[in-house]
Amino acid sequence: MEKALLLYSGGLDTSVMVRWIKEKMNMDVVTLTLDIGNSDLEEIKEKALKLGAIDAITLDVKKEFADNYISREIHANGLYGEYPLSTALARPLMAEKAVSVANENDIKFIAHGSTGKGNDQVRFEVSINALDNNIKVIAPVREWNMTRADELEYAKMNNIYVKSDGKYSVDENIWGRSIEGSSIENINEPVNDDAFEWVTPPQYCGSGEPVSIEFYKGLPSSLNGKSMDLLSIIKNLNIIAGRNGIGIINMIESRLIGLKSHEVYECPAASVILKAHKYLENLILNKNELSVKNYIDNFWSNMVYNGLWFDPSMEHMNQFEKSSNQYITGSVNLRLYRGNMILEGIESPYSLYDYNTINYETGVFDQGSSKGFIDIYKNETVRSNRVKKALTVIH
Amino acid sequence: MEKALLLYSGGLDTSVMVRWIKEKMNMDVVTLTLDIGNSDLEEIKEKALKLGAIDAITLDVKKEFADNYISREIHANGLYGEYPLSTALARPLMAEKAVSVANENDIKFIAHGSTGKGNDQVRFEVSINALDNNIKVIAPVREWNMTRADELEYAKMNNIYVKSDGKYSVDENIWGRSIEGSSIENINEPVNDDAFEWVTPPQYCGSGEPVSIEFYKGLPSSLNGKSMDLLSIIKNLNIIAGRNGIGIINMIESRLIGLKSHEVYECPAASVILKAHKYLENLILNKNELSVKNYIDNFWSNMVYNGLWFDPSMEHMNQFEKSSNQYITGSVNLRLYRGNMILEGIESPYSLYDYNTINYETGVFDQGSSKGFIDIYKNETVRSNRVKKALTVIH
Amino acid sequence: MEKALLLYSGGLDTSVMVRWIKEKMNMDVVTLTLDIGNSDLEEIKEKALKLGAIDAITLDVKKEFADNYISREIHANGLYGEYPLSTALARPLMAEKAVSVANENDIKFIAHGSTGKGNDQVRFEVSINALDNNIKVIAPVREWNMTRADELEYAKMNNIYVKSDGKYSVDENIWGRSIEGSSIENINEPVNDDAFEWVTPPQYCGSGEPVSIEFYKGLPSSLNGKSMDLLSIIKNLNIIAGRNGIGIINMIESRLIGLKSHEVYECPAASVILKAHKYLENLILNKNELSVKNYIDNFWSNMVYNGLWFDPSMEHMNQFEKSSNQYITGSVNLRLYRGNMILEGIESPYSLYDYNTINYETGVFDQGSSKGFIDIYKNETVRSNRVKKALTVIH
Amino acid sequence: MEKALLLYSGGLDTSVMVRWIKEKMNMDVVTLTLDIGNSDLEEIKEKALKLGAIDAITLDVKKEFADNYISREIHANGLYGEYPLSTALARPLMAEKAVSVANENDIKFIAHGSTGKGNDQVRFEVSINALDNNIKVIAPVREWNMTRADELEYAKMNNIYVKSDGKYSVDENIWGRSIEGSSIENINEPVNDDAFEWVTPPQYCGSGEPVSIEFYKGLPSSLNGKSMDLLSIIKNLNIIAGRNGIGIINMIESRLIGLKSHEVYECPAASVILKAHKYLENLILNKNELSVKNYIDNFWSNMVYNGLWFDPSMEHMNQFEKSSNQYITGSVNLRLYRGNMILEGIESPYSLYDYNTINYETGVFDQGSSKGFIDIYKNETVRSNRVKKALTVIH
């Protein structure tokens, strides 16, 4: 019998899928569960087997996620609006692992649990086929047209035990937690506090905490004076920043399939790291570098949001980003206080800030040059106004 | 005797200038004082005359500033980084008024108090000469090379009474307050609370307040249900947002003359209005509109930051902005709480958000189309990977 | 019986369609033929009726095409690579007319003859539904899966007389002629001379001709000293430029559906007008205007290529373009010689070129300012190198 | 006595300078002459010594120019408008060599012969100080305010023998020849044939020649079937393309100091190589790569035009360019005929062009997917029109 590799989270949709693929498509199901956040791999594995999977593979890929994916995003100040792309960033890693497991096990079909209305279906399918175009992708949710109630009914009928998923549709990994659905779809109302699990909403926070982050070549290398690998810094910052109200993002978003949606995110570590990294760049890179990097950063972020992580253009941009992060070394002190990240100090051996030049009292800058500068600088604007006004008078 | 029109704020620099221009340049001084924020025009006028100005002209231009300058910035989401360009936006208005007063009074010289290290000298001089290239600009601070101590000494010697300016170098108007100098120049230290006058730092704030802003064609038209003109909305919001910790901006900035500087701003009303306006745009404009508008908004903001308000390109961009704000009508509810602006509801007759399509339970969206979409969409990425991998294997 | 409005060109594909739609879809067919180039409307109408259309509507829309579509492209320097978008520009006009005729005749279906591999299907369908989303679009070629041989067989069987179409697949209108298919698909060979009908290949051209084009507010207003409307200028220039070898374009193109293709175009008038217009812009617009306009021009061109003429972003850009063409008034002399367009003179009342300033002998430009300018201008680059080098030495 | 290193071309300006610097600035002059094109180093050296230089250093840097400068431009499709940046590209190499010679000889001053009106002064000075900010730059032409007649008089008085320079102001190197001044400044007249030395104007050309260029990783590696280094390919192509009328560029240009100028260039090899390279890119890179590369190419070109070769942003962009040229391997056949470059064949192992998919008769492309694609693709445009129209009706 043909086999399908199912990206299995343990939730309602993919649990129903184990049975559904077997029944409707007449295929054996191998599940693949990846720990990118805090999944209980053992429990999920057991459940998969109980549901009838012929094999249940699990992998802890948190470190790979930090080192190969998140690190590149930090270099590129990856943001789609204010959203640090947490879910978008994990999809290509999941595709990468799925293709690799499928190839090792000679499986030709990969199934995922995304709907036909969202971005993730696109991210999965482009990524999987970019890595191996011989693999066929199966997206049952897109085809079965069951509502949530239908699914629950189907689960009951098939003895599929599912812990209640909660009212929201949630995706989470170490880089952030995405929340959508339910009352969040009523955009003329506030978001309920019960949507949040990682971040203490500002009104319930305590008296704040300072954090100090050191960067080496564009990546965090120590937190509050202690050297740690990136994964550990992220884990720690999720807790520290989370309890200080940092990282709630509330977006009206334009999905790549042409729908507007309302999405809420909790990205405490990501928010702090990206903020600190950007402060360092502003200190170390000159205006030309910042200008071109801003364009690349944006393009990079859009590509990731749009599911194009494995496009060849990404490698070209990653080379650019690596080069421009060569000197992003230094430390940033931020006070985290009820949703605010307050700069309390920044320094770098490569800082372009020059106290002696800028200081109003003792400055060594030759102000006389400014006159010549302005005389030339104004040419474009002054001349074009003069010419056009002269003619307007005559005409 | 030749006359100079001095842009006179009543502070130390420009007060010294009244005497200095007369003495060193042998010119009569007419002062021009503009109320763009909360200047006491009468007091400043008196002082100017006492210092020897032959005439002291004063104008309240707050409404003009709101209607002709700030309104265009709101349309263009004007931000340089996170800075709402408050000082940058007022300079061309000051130049406009100065040129107009100079022309009416047959004055050929305009003097300003900006140093040779900052952006404002450029903004004044480009703007003045763009409007009238026959006017000569005088920038005494750039030439006299006095330190602050020298100036105080000069003031004392010349019986110029100056109220202490405070330790910071400050510029303010209804759109924001810019603070630089003194301890702010020590970038490895926190900013002292005494830098802030408009915004209560978050830790001293109360329990928060909701605000509701209605927009009509891209501009605020009512606040908390009451119709008001833009100037009144700004004045009110400066107070409400200020007491809720909104609008402190802390930037490492790249001045247009090639120096890095550390600048702190307080822009409570600007922060709220720009945030609400952007939320509405995200709801009403489609992805194509947002993409091209994002570029124009950025270009527009850079031009204003760089002193090029009167460049002809601005008019072309303003036409674009006017058109793209045609449908930015609707209301935004934000909760202001200790530095946080929390979206609590948004609606617009032109909203592209469609509850019935997006809803996961009842959605009317044909998910089947997504498969065809992805099949085509992935072509670029899949093909280029396939071709390159195939060859890599062979080579 | 339900009615379908068929965009009918008189060629093989759409002729087969008249019969096919009736037979397979059981609908009455009304044909709509638009003269955008040099169609013989009478002959095509007769043919449609003979094939069984219940009505055959014809419209001469050449003037509308010039005044409402081409004019906007000239303002925007519309080019996709080197291709003046001739076919892409006519599709939305065809959609506009089709929707309007359909609405007047209470027809709910519009059929077009484009394949499923090209750009035109997208352009038609987006445009039609942007104008009226209640209309259903029928694209028989995409569904019937007939090859050309099948179609000829079908035509024979159904007594559909079709003049041989020639070996290439051709689309033409007054703004250009697109040629694809047949030997053009062999990209490792030269294009045969028999592909060209409008342009005499350079090796067969005569001794060249001068042309002089006057522009008023960004649009051609007279040719060789004679005032003419835009349509007449285009018609004349197609002949003059065509006989001088101007306007052959040979592109490796990236279709919007993700395929590379080889396309050949003949756009004599378009090439000359766009070249002359760009020369004038370079003379009249300043660097800031050129820089932002370059971005908008590109975005505009991509939108048109991608079938998005009726997207709301186009109106915003058109407002920008109108404003930036306000002063593009003047005349350009070009010598057309065997494929070359040689500038022989340019002038404008709004020219920013200033002989007296630029002239090396008598120049009035104050060269002294350049030193101050460079001192400031170099800051960004010099400082960042200095800082980084200093540290590199130490590290 | 202090020494100055003079970038010495052997022409009038720099010859006068040898004497002038000694006389007016009381410095010893060491000349540095670089062969980047076809300078007669021996003759120029002799002349320098005769004029009183205490030493005359000469270097042949043609190969370095090709390998370290031109190669990067080819990768980046370096063009400012249609100008291949030939002069702009050589200035940083000259600065690099001058700084290196100055350092070796313990010289603290470098003098160049550029005027205060052009771009080259900026390019020299930024580059020199970016490499060594302790060096002082001397620009006598900017200070002495001699006209050409004054210079000739001074030369005569000082027994400086100068071969007539010809009427134009010319700069040349292997990548191109720049011509300005004299009658070229009359922009309402044709350029005289006597301006051209490298390119035979089209009307005097012969019957054309085919060229075949092979590229390996983005750089030309063989010409007409013969492997050659880049320098040899350029030298050969200058002759071949030159005699076929290729490479005359006629620009209305916006100098970086805010003046419009009229410049004429002859760049035969550059025009052919850049055209062929771009054709290959269009064949090999996908739409995402082309889109982001287009931005970087433009930014790169502007930086070089604006004298910022040694800015750190260039290294980041060079990394991007290197990566995106990784697969630009293949061959391009062009027919050069009287100013036309006609594509006659292109191939690459990495080509994304797929005959079997694109072919209209046998195509394997699934046209059915297009319907789903368009259904999703049109969403943005259709929805925004629908919403806005609905409201417009109501309002």
Side-chain angles (χ1 to χ4, degrees), chain C residues 80 82 115-118 121-122 125-126 129-133 141-142 145 147-149 180-181 184-191 202-203 245 250-252 254-262 275 279 281-287 290 294 298 306-308 310-312 337-340 342-347 351-355 357-361 363-365 367-368 370-371 373-374 377-378 380-382 384-386 388-389, chain D residues 80 82 115-118 121-122 125-126 129-133 141-142 145 147-149 180-181 184-191 202-203 245 250-252 254-262 275 279 281-287 290 294 298 306-308 310-312 337-340 342-347 351-355 357-365 367-368 370-371 373-374 377-378 380-382 384-386 388-389:
Chain C
Y80 183 78
E82 299 168 19
T115 75
K117 282 186 198 171
Q121 55 173 343
V122 187
E125 298 180 29
V126 177
N129 286 144
L131 293 170
D132 185 345
N133 200 28
V141 181
R142 221 158 52 196
N145 271 318
T147 64
R148 196 178 168 72
E180 55 183 23
I184 291 173
E185 289 172 354
N186 304 318
I187 61 168
N188 51 352
E189 293 174 10
V191 174
Q203 60 271 30
N250 194 329
M251 298 257 298
I252 303 293
S254 303
R255 289 198 187 145
L256 74 88
I257 56 162
L259 299 178
K260 294 284 184 189
S261 67
H262 184 203
K275 177 88 174 182
Y279 263 127
E281 280 194 0
N282 283 340
L283 187 72
I284 295 166
L285 299 182
N286 76 15
K287 234 185 310 189
L290 290 170
N294 184 47
N298 254 307
N306 289 334
L308 302 171
F310 288 110
D311 192 81
Y337 175 74
R338 294 187 179 237
N340 298 277
I342 302 158
L343 182 67
E344 298 205 322
I346 182 166
E347 51 188 17
S351 167
L352 295 184
Y353 180 80
D354 182 345
Y355 180 86
T357 304
I358 205 74
N359 183 263
Y360 276 91
E361 292 311 301
V364 295
F365 185 81
Q367 304 196 26
S370 295
K371 196 185 162 340
F373 175 76
I374 297 171
Y377 177 81
K378 74 184 175 191
E380 292 284 339
T381 301
V382 168
S384 40
N385 277 305
R386 196 175 60 193
K388 282 153 200 176
K389 245 174 300 177
Chain D
Y80 183 78
E82 300 167 19
T115 74
K117 283 185 197 172
Q121 56 172 342
V122 187
E125 298 179 30
V126 177
N129 286 144
L131 293 170
D132 185 345
N133 200 26
V141 181
R142 219 157 55 196
N145 271 317
T147 64
R148 196 177 166 74
E180 55 183 24
I184 291 173
E185 290 172 353
N186 305 318
I187 60 169
N188 52 352
E189 292 174 13
V191 174
Q203 60 272 31
N250 193 330
M251 299 257 298
I252 302 294
S254 303
R255 288 197 188 147
L256 74 87
I257 56 161
L259 299 179
K260 294 282 184 190
S261 67
H262 184 205
K275 178 88 175 180
Y279 263 126
E281 281 193 0
N282 283 340
L283 188 72
I284 294 166
L285 301 182
N286 75 15
K287 233 186 311 189
L290 289 171
N294 184 46
N298 253 308
N306 290 334
L308 302 171
F310 289 110
D311 192 81
Y337 176 74
R338 293 188 181 238
N340 298 278
I342 302 159
L343 181 67
E344 297 206 321
I346 182 165
E347 50 188 15
S351 166
L352 295 183
Y353 180 79
D354 182 345
Y355 179 85
T357 304
I358 204 75
N359 183 262
Y360 276 90
E361 292 311 300
T362 67
V364 296
F365 185 80
Q367 302 195 27
S370 295
K371 198 188 159 339
F373 175 75
I374 297 172
Y377 178 80
K378 73 184 176 190
E380 292 285 338
T381 302
V382 170
S384 38
N385 277 306
R386 198 176 57 192
K388 282 155 200 174
K389 246 174 300 178

Side-chain angles (χ1 to χ4, degrees), chain A residues 80 82 115-118 121-122 125-126 129-133 141-142 145 147-149 180-181 184-191 202-203 245 250-252 254-262 275 279 281-287 290 294 298 306-308 310-312 337-340 342-347 351-355 357-361 363-365 367-368 370-371 373-374 377-378 380-382 384-386 388-389, chain B residues 80 82 115-118 121-122 125-126 129-133 141-142 145 147-149 180-181 184-191 202-203 245 250-252 254-262 275 279 281-287 290 294 298 306-308 310-312 337-340 342-347 351-355 357-365 367-368 370-371 373-374 377-378 380-382 384-386 388-389:
Chain A
Y80 183 79
E82 298 167 21
T115 74
K117 282 185 198 171
Q121 55 172 343
V122 187
E125 298 179 30
V126 177
N129 286 146
L131 293 170
D132 185 344
N133 201 27
V141 182
R142 220 160 53 197
N145 270 318
T147 64
R148 197 178 167 74
E180 55 183 23
I184 291 173
E185 289 172 354
N186 304 320
I187 60 169
N188 51 351
E189 292 174 11
V191 174
Q203 59 271 31
N250 194 328
M251 299 257 299
I252 302 293
S254 304
R255 289 200 186 144
L256 75 86
I257 57 160
L259 298 178
K260 294 284 183 189
S261 67
H262 184 204
K275 178 88 174 180
Y279 263 128
E281 279 193 1
N282 283 340
L283 187 72
I284 295 166
L285 299 182
N286 76 15
K287 231 186 312 187
L290 290 171
N294 184 46
N298 254 307
N306 289 333
L308 302 171
F310 289 111
D311 193 81
Y337 176 73
R338 295 189 180 234
N340 298 277
I342 302 159
L343 182 67
E344 298 206 322
I346 183 165
E347 51 188 15
S351 165
L352 295 184
Y353 180 79
D354 182 346
Y355 179 84
T357 304
I358 204 75
N359 183 262
Y360 278 90
E361 290 312 299
V364 295
F365 185 81
Q367 303 195 26
S370 295
K371 196 187 161 339
F373 175 75
I374 297 171
Y377 178 80
K378 73 183 176 191
E380 291 284 338
T381 302
V382 169
S384 37
N385 277 305
R386 197 176 58 193
K388 281 154 199 174
K389 245 174 301 180
Chain B
Y80 183 79
E82 300 167 18
T115 75
K117 283 185 198 172
Q121 56 173 340
V122 186
E125 298 179 30
V126 177
N129 286 145
L131 293 170
D132 185 346
N133 201 27
V141 182
R142 219 159 54 196
N145 271 317
T147 64
R148 196 176 166 75
E180 56 183 21
I184 291 174
E185 289 172 355
N186 304 319
I187 60 168
N188 51 352
E189 292 174 11
V191 174
Q203 59 271 31
N250 194 328
M251 299 257 298
I252 303 293
S254 304
R255 288 197 187 146
L256 76 87
I257 57 161
L259 298 178
K260 294 282 184 192
S261 66
H262 184 204
K275 179 89 173 180
Y279 263 127
E281 281 194 359
N282 283 338
L283 188 72
I284 295 166
L285 299 183
N286 76 14
K287 231 185 313 186
L290 289 171
N294 184 45
N298 254 309
N306 289 334
L308 302 171
F310 289 110
D311 192 81
Y337 176 73
R338 294 187 182 238
N340 299 276
I342 301 158
L343 183 65
E344 297 205 322
I346 183 165
E347 51 188 15
S351 167
L352 295 184
Y353 179 79
D354 182 347
Y355 179 84
T357 303
I358 204 73
N359 184 261
Y360 276 90
E361 291 312 300
T362 66
V364 295
F365 185 79
Q367 303 195 27
S370 295
K371 197 185 159 344
F373 175 74
I374 297 172
Y377 178 79
K378 73 184 176 191
E380 292 285 338
T381 302
V382 169
S384 38
N385 277 307
R386 198 176 58 193
K388 281 154 201 173
K389 248 176 296 178

Side-chain angles (χ1 to χ4, degrees), chain C residues 145-171:
Chain C
N145 271 318
M146 294 193 247
T147 64
R148 196 178 168 72
D150 298 336
E151 284 185 63
L152 284 167
E153 180 63 21
Y154 183 94
K156 212 171 126 190
M157 300 266 296
N158 286 271
N159 290 316
I160 302 170
Y161 169 73
V162 201
K163 244 192 306 190
S164 164
D165 277 352
K167 63 185 192 186
Y168 301 108
S169 169
V170 170
D171 175 73

Side-chain angles (χ1 to χ4, degrees), chain B residues 169-180:
Chain B
S169 169
V170 170
D171 176 73
E172 67 181 50
N173 62 55
I174 51 163
W175 199 232
R177 187 169 174 270
S178 307
I179 312 125
E180 56 183 21

Side-chain angles (χ1 to χ4, degrees), chain A residues 8-245:
Chain A
Y8 182 60
S9 69
L12 173 63
D13 287 343
T14 50
S15 292
V16 167
M17 240 167 256
V18 178
R19 206 60 64 85
W20 191 90
I21 291 173
K22 191 157 185 165
E23 252 179 39
K24 309 275 171 169
M25 309 192 70
N26 200 29
M27 295 170 101
D28 276 338
V29 174
V30 176
T31 61
L32 171 63
T33 306
L34 302 169
D35 180 12
I36 327 179
N38 46 5
S39 316
D40 183 335
L41 291 180
E42 272 320 296
E43 187 189 316
I44 297 175
K45 179 181 187 147
E46 219 172 290
K47 186 169 174 188
L49 294 172
K50 207 180 291 175
L51 285 170
I54 61 162
D55 195 4
I57 301 168
T58 62
L59 293 169
D60 178 345
V61 294
K62 292 195 292 290
K63 194 159 165 49
E64 261 180 276
F65 187 45
D67 291 345
N68 300 344
Y69 286 76
I70 293 174
S71 66
R72 291 211 165 87
E73 179 181 312
I74 297 169
H75 274 182
N77 299 307
L79 284 172
Y80 183 79
E82 298 167 21
Y83 163 45
L85 297 165
S86 47
T87 292
L89 197 65
R91 297 320 192 192
L93 170 62
M94 294 171 75
E96 185 195 328
K97 291 295 152 192
V99 168
S100 146
V101 167
N103 285 342
E104 284 160 17
N105 292 274
D106 211 30
I107 301 178
K108 297 289 175 227
F109 295 81
I110 295 177
H112 65 77
S114 302
T115 74
K117 282 185 198 171
N119 294 317
D120 290 329
Q121 55 172 343
V122 187
R123 293 167 185 154
F124 277 132
E125 298 179 30
V126 177
S127 296
I128 289 168
N129 286 146
L131 293 170
D132 185 344
N133 201 27
N134 294 316
I135 287 178
K136 295 268 176 303
V137 179
I138 306 171
V141 182
R142 220 160 53 197
E143 285 155 37
W144 67 30
N145 270 318
M146 294 194 246
T147 64
R148 197 178 167 74
D150 298 336
E151 284 184 65
L152 285 168
E153 178 64 19
Y154 182 95
K156 210 171 128 194
M157 301 266 295
N158 287 271
N159 291 316
I160 302 170
Y161 169 73
V162 202
K163 244 192 312 197
S164 165
D165 278 352
K167 63 183 195 188
Y168 301 107
S169 169
V170 170
D171 175 74
E172 68 180 49
N173 61 53
I174 52 164
W175 200 232
R177 188 169 175 270
S178 306
I179 312 125
E180 55 183 23
S182 184
S183 58
I184 291 173
E185 289 172 354
N186 304 320
I187 60 169
N188 51 351
E189 292 174 11
V191 174
N192 286 331
D193 282 351
D194 68 0
F196 305 114
E197 296 194 358
W198 290 17
V199 179
T200 311
Q203 59 271 31
Y204 312 121
C205 288
S207 58
E209 284 171 80
V211 292
S212 173
I213 308 174
E214 246 173 82
F215 287 79
Y216 178 69
K217 298 199 175 191
L219 295 178
S221 56
S222 93
L223 178 64
N224 292 333
K226 260 185 243 160
S227 280
M228 294 184 208
D229 68 356
L230 180 54
L231 177 57
S232 306
I233 291 178
I234 293 167
K235 283 176 169 176
N236 277 281
L237 272 176
N238 271 332
I239 295 164
I240 302 171
R243 72 186 169 218
N244 285 294

